[in-house]
Amino acid sequence: MDLPKLMQELRTDEGKDNSVISSGIQSALDELDQQLSWFSGLSDGRQRALVNMHFNMGWKQLAEEEDFLTAMETGDWRKAARELERSQWGRSMGVRALRLLQLVVGG
């Protein structure tokens, strides 16, 4: 995964310093690897999208996006993007959500 790119994205999105971001990324990676057996098989962009979402909302809220996660698991990128766009989180995140939608669809 392109960690420098992910750190740049999170600095922009969250406005936090590198140590907080670095710790949050590692925590997200560990939990996503533990919770989603298919996570490591995703493209770099899709992994970055999930880490970014986890960083922002935490696992508990991300896990509630069941239709989104099922579409991600099955490789239905357009459905995953639609589900994310329809979600309360997606509607409330504006430009951030649009950028993550592009990562989900484009990989």
Side-chain angles (χ1 to χ4, degrees):
M1 177 181 311
D2 188 343
L3 290 177
K5 190 168 191 169
L6 179 59
M7 288 187 73
Q8 172 72 30
E9 291 165 353
L10 288 171
R11 266 195 308 277
T12 300
D13 293 338
E14 298 286 335
K16 298 184 189 241
D17 68 33
N18 284 345
S19 64
V20 172
I21 290 171
S22 218
S23 173
I25 288 171
Q26 191 56 57
S27 176
L29 285 169
D30 291 346
E31 189 151 35
L32 289 167
D33 270 334
Q34 181 182 25
Q35 298 292 336
L36 306 173
S37 61
W38 43 268
F39 175 76
S40 64
L42 294 174
S43 68
D44 179 78
R46 292 179 181 114
Q47 285 185 5
R48 286 195 344 258
L50 282 170
V51 170
N52 192 310
M53 292 172 69
H54 184 290
F55 190 93
N56 180 255
M57 68 171 84
W59 172 250
K60 185 176 178 182
Q61 188 176 348
L62 180 58
E64 291 174 5
E65 301 295 341
E66 293 175 12
D67 293 335
F68 166 73
L69 291 174
T70 298
M72 290 290 287
E73 181 179 15
T74 61
D76 191 344
W77 313 126
R78 294 205 183 281
K79 181 176 182 184
R82 280 192 310 272
E83 294 300 333
L84 181 57
E85 196 171 31
R86 291 177 186 160
S87 73
Q88 182 177 352
W89 183 87
R91 289 189 314 272
S92 70
M93 294 310 292
V95 173
R96 182 183 197 168
L98 293 175
R99 192 180 69 251
L100 297 181
L101 288 169
Q102 291 173 342
L103 288 173
V104 166
V105 173

